[in-house]
Amino acid sequence: MNTPPLLLGCAALFWSWQTGQWAVGLAAALAIEAPRIAAARWDLQTADFNRIADLCSVLVMALLAYLYISFGNPRAVTALFEWLPIVLLPLAAAQAWSTSREIDLSVLFRSLRRARRRDPMRLNLGYPYFALWLLGASAANTRTPAFYVAVLVLIAWPLALVRARGFRPLVWAILAAWVAALGYGLHSGLHAGQLWLEGAGLEWFDVEGERTDPVRSRTAIGAIGELKLSERIV
């Protein structure tokens, strides 16, 4: 993997924190980070990666079917994104434990396997898999400021290591803090705008031309009419 040491492991633990699946996340972190200190490697070829990728595709479809039957939409889609890092772990672990630093792009796209190219495109799964951990954690986040802070730390970690040498650390830190504050303000504003739009939408689409209270429901089913059959008093 071309990611900094322990980055993928921390991303897996962050996913565990958000989902509550600590045993699963810890096992995944060990499977990904152990090759950095272990000397053993597998000499896997493209055909081997193709089989592992096909297995992961079958697992994704089976998981989606199970989630759809159990929870229905839209929860099934959200849960699928939540568990994608675990379902695709065999492919990421295969590259981490193999002698190849990159895999052929045709491993991920079956349509490219039939095409024979002189210069095949190759990809290291490190950073795409890192993004997948963050996506899975986002699908299960608890909507707290701690989630946003943790995401900022995980993203700033590799960016700080590849920053241009012409930038002083203090200048880079100030710019990073400014971007973080701007991002927090934007996503908070979008959330507030969504809530306002949901409340105002009821008034905009009122077919009777009356003001609609978003917290109260009224219905008109006709007049009650005369209940007494006689006005006589006995």
Side-chain angles (χ1 to χ4, degrees):
M1 294 295 185
N2 59 346
T3 53
L6 300 179
L7 179 63
L8 288 176
C10 290
L13 295 180
F14 172 61
W15 176 88
S16 303
W17 173 35
Q18 296 299 308
T19 61
Q21 304 293 336
W22 286 102
V24 177
L26 182 59
L30 292 176
I32 293 298
E33 295 294 343
R36 299 186 185 275
I37 58 176
R41 288 293 184 274
W42 296 334
D43 186 15
L44 299 178
Q45 304 300 319
T46 300
D48 301 317
F49 283 109
N50 288 341
R51 297 186 185 96
I52 298 174
D54 293 341
L55 173 62
C56 291
S57 299
V58 173
L59 293 178
V60 169
M61 298 304 297
L63 177 62
L64 179 60
Y66 169 77
L67 293 174
Y68 184 81
I69 295 174
S70 301
F71 304 104
N73 280 329
R75 175 55 185 162
V77 178
T78 306
L80 177 64
F81 283 111
E82 180 180 334
W83 285 95
L84 268 183
I86 302 301
V87 178
L88 299 181
L89 177 62
L91 184 58
Q95 186 195 331
W97 286 92
S98 71
T99 56
S100 302
R101 294 183 58 86
E102 296 177 334
I103 64 173
D104 196 317
L105 199 60
S106 62
V107 172
L108 304 178
F109 302 97
R110 294 182 60 89
S111 59
L112 298 178
R113 296 181 186 179
R114 298 180 181 179
R116 296 182 179 179
R117 303 181 305 276
R118 294 183 179 179
D119 298 323
M121 294 180 291
R122 303 186 68 83
L123 173 70
N124 190 295
L125 296 177
Y127 282 106
Y129 193 55
F130 170 70
L132 200 60
W133 280 114
L134 298 185
L135 178 63
S138 301
N141 79 83
T142 53
R143 302 179 183 272
T144 61
F147 170 83
Y148 187 72
V149 173
V151 169
L152 289 178
V153 172
L154 289 174
I155 294 178
W157 182 354
L159 291 179
L161 296 178
V162 298
R163 67 178 176 83
R165 296 305 177 185
F167 281 94
R168 296 180 179 179
L170 179 59
V171 176
W172 187 92
I174 294 175
L175 290 176
W178 180 79
V179 171
L182 181 62
Y184 186 82
L186 287 176
H187 95 261
S188 299
L190 287 175
H191 179 64
Q194 178 186 355
L195 296 178
W196 174 83
L197 186 62
E198 291 176 355
L202 296 176
E203 297 184 5
W204 294 347
F205 295 99
D206 184 14
V207 295
E208 297 181 0
E210 299 179 356
R211 293 184 59 85
T212 304
D213 189 346
V215 297
R216 180 177 299 176
S217 177
R218 294 178 299 175
T219 183
I221 57 177
I224 297 179
E226 187 69 30
L227 296 180
K228 296 188 297 182
L229 300 181
S230 173
E231 296 294 337
R232 182 181 179 187
I233 299 177
V234 177

